[in-house]
Amino acid sequence: MSLVRPHPGPLAALSCFRDANVGMTMMVGIPIAILTIAIVGPAFSSFASRWVPVGAPESFAVSEQDRDGSKRLPPFPLAVACILLPAVLMLIAAIFEIADPTAYHSGSAWSQALIFLGKPEIALLAALLLSMGVLGGVGHIPFATMNRSLGESLPSVAGIMLIVGGGGGYKGVLVDTGIGSIIGSFVEQSHISILLLGWLIAIFVRVATGSATVSIMTTAGILGPVMDGMGASQPAVVLLVLAIGAGSIFLSHVNDAGFWLVKEYFGLDVGQTFKTWSVLECLLSVVIFLLVMAVSLFVPIV
């Protein structure tokens, strides 16, 4: 939901702020994401199933091979462990930094090892290696098959890198125009919440470009200097990144590749996709933002 890793947007946004912290962002973002799922999921799914009565696609059906057990899959707990490993490693490093900053900066071998494992790149690499081991050991998938699958995923990675690079270039153009100073003066004079402003700017860029990543990076690049000028606290930076992430998923429509992916994957027409996916994205954005604003009542901005 553009709140936490492995989505590239939040990490790129954090790089635009001076006092950004990946672990703290995850510590706040994960509970908000879980609450949002609990609130929006049951309520909207029951409504959408009546509004757009469409059955599950054929690809969701269980094959005879899966039913008779001839295709071995990893146990569910082990599969979940592979998914959660990066988040756990980064959260441990973040909690360590907050709980014992002296030991965190001591330079001892065990603290350096913990910090190293908590780096986003290392945590994701550890999850990848664990997943390969699980698929090879439990699923008896040959290494050559996994290696071929990894090679086939590179074109998708290249597309993501291109989008991130394009968003960074777009951000640079806007920042060089001096819009950051203009927005900073506006915030000081109007006393509008910087969280609300970040959410609204992210919505505007999202609707205009159709890319959540470009929206996050552009908005963070514009508001990064503003937050530095305000002397914003680290928790405030975290909340702003989450508010920007909420705005970046608002109103997915025809200029968003995800819109067409959902349409084709679930066998919907354009109208049905608007009624389900687009509405769902708007609800998620609003609920996340309201939860972020609720948390902000207990967090000093400066």
Side-chain angles (χ1 to χ4, degrees), residues 213-302:
T213 303
V214 172
S215 173
I216 292 175
M217 291 191 62
T218 303
T219 309
I222 293 173
L223 297 182
V226 177
M227 294 293 279
D228 293 340
M230 293 171 56
S233 62
Q234 190 176 70
V237 172
V238 169
L239 292 180
L240 179 59
V241 170
L242 296 178
I244 292 172
S248 72
I249 61 173
F250 191 89
L251 191 59
S252 171
H253 62 98
V254 294
N255 67 350
D256 179 19
F259 178 91
W260 299 104
L261 179 65
V262 171
K263 173 187 176 300
E264 296 299 326
Y265 191 67
F266 289 97
L268 306 173
D269 59 36
V270 173
Q272 291 171 333
T273 310
F274 271 115
K275 292 178 181 179
T276 53
W277 176 248
S278 299
V279 174
L280 174 62
E281 290 281 88
C282 292
L283 289 174
L284 291 173
S285 177
V286 172
V287 171
I288 292 170
F289 176 69
L290 291 177
L291 291 174
V292 169
M293 291 299 291
V295 175
S296 70
L297 297 176
F298 308 95
V299 176
I301 297 297
V302 294

Side-chain angles (χ1 to χ4, degrees), residues 34-284:
I34 293 174
L35 276 174
T36 303
I37 294 171
I39 294 171
V40 178
F44 181 70
S45 60
S46 60
F47 170 76
S49 62
R50 295 192 301 269
W51 196 19
V52 183
V54 178
E58 295 181 0
S59 58
F60 281 33
V62 179
S63 65
E64 293 297 330
Q65 187 182 29
D66 295 333
R67 201 175 275 116
D68 62 18
S70 59
K71 182 180 179 181
R72 299 192 61 185
L73 297 175
F76 179 74
L78 198 55
V80 172
C82 294
I83 297 172
L84 295 182
L85 180 61
V88 171
L89 291 176
M90 286 186 278
L91 282 175
I92 290 175
I95 294 172
F96 175 44
E97 181 181 7
I98 296 171
D100 195 351
T102 303
Y104 183 85
H105 297 286
S106 65
S108 60
W110 69 271
S111 65
Q112 290 298 310
L114 198 58
I115 294 170
F116 177 76
L117 291 174
K119 295 291 183 181
E121 298 82 2
I122 303 302
L124 289 171
L125 177 61
L128 173 63
L129 296 176
L130 176 62
S131 301
M132 294 176 65
V134 168
L135 288 175
V138 179
H140 301 290
I141 298 176
F143 177 77
T145 303
M146 288 189 287
N147 190 44
R148 184 171 59 253
S149 177
L150 292 173
E152 292 172 351
S153 67
L154 289 178
S156 301
V157 174
I160 294 173
M161 296 300 294
L162 182 62
I163 293 174
V164 172
Y170 185 41
K171 174 204 72 176
V173 171
L174 291 177
V175 170
D176 289 342
T177 63
I179 193 172
S181 301
I182 297 173
I183 292 176
S185 301
F186 171 75
V187 171
E188 292 176 358
Q189 296 173 5
S190 65
H191 302 290
I192 188 174
S193 169
I194 190 69
L195 302 180
L196 175 60
L197 188 63
W199 185 62
L200 292 175
I201 295 174
I203 288 176
F204 175 78
V205 179
R206 158 68 164 182
V207 175
T209 65
S211 171
T213 303
V214 172
S215 173
I216 292 175
M217 291 191 62
T218 303
T219 309
I222 293 173
L223 297 182
V226 177
M227 294 293 279
D228 293 340
M230 293 171 56
S233 62
Q234 190 176 70
V237 172
V238 169
L239 292 180
L240 179 59
V241 170
L242 296 178
I244 292 172
S248 72
I249 61 173
F250 191 89
L251 191 59
S252 171
H253 62 98
V254 294
N255 67 350
D256 179 19
F259 178 91
W260 299 104
L261 179 65
V262 171
K263 173 187 176 300
E264 296 299 326
Y265 191 67
F266 289 97
L268 306 173
D269 59 36
V270 173
Q272 291 171 333
T273 310
F274 271 115
K275 292 178 181 179
T276 53
W277 176 248
S278 299
V279 174
L280 174 62
E281 290 281 88
C282 292
L283 289 174
L284 291 173

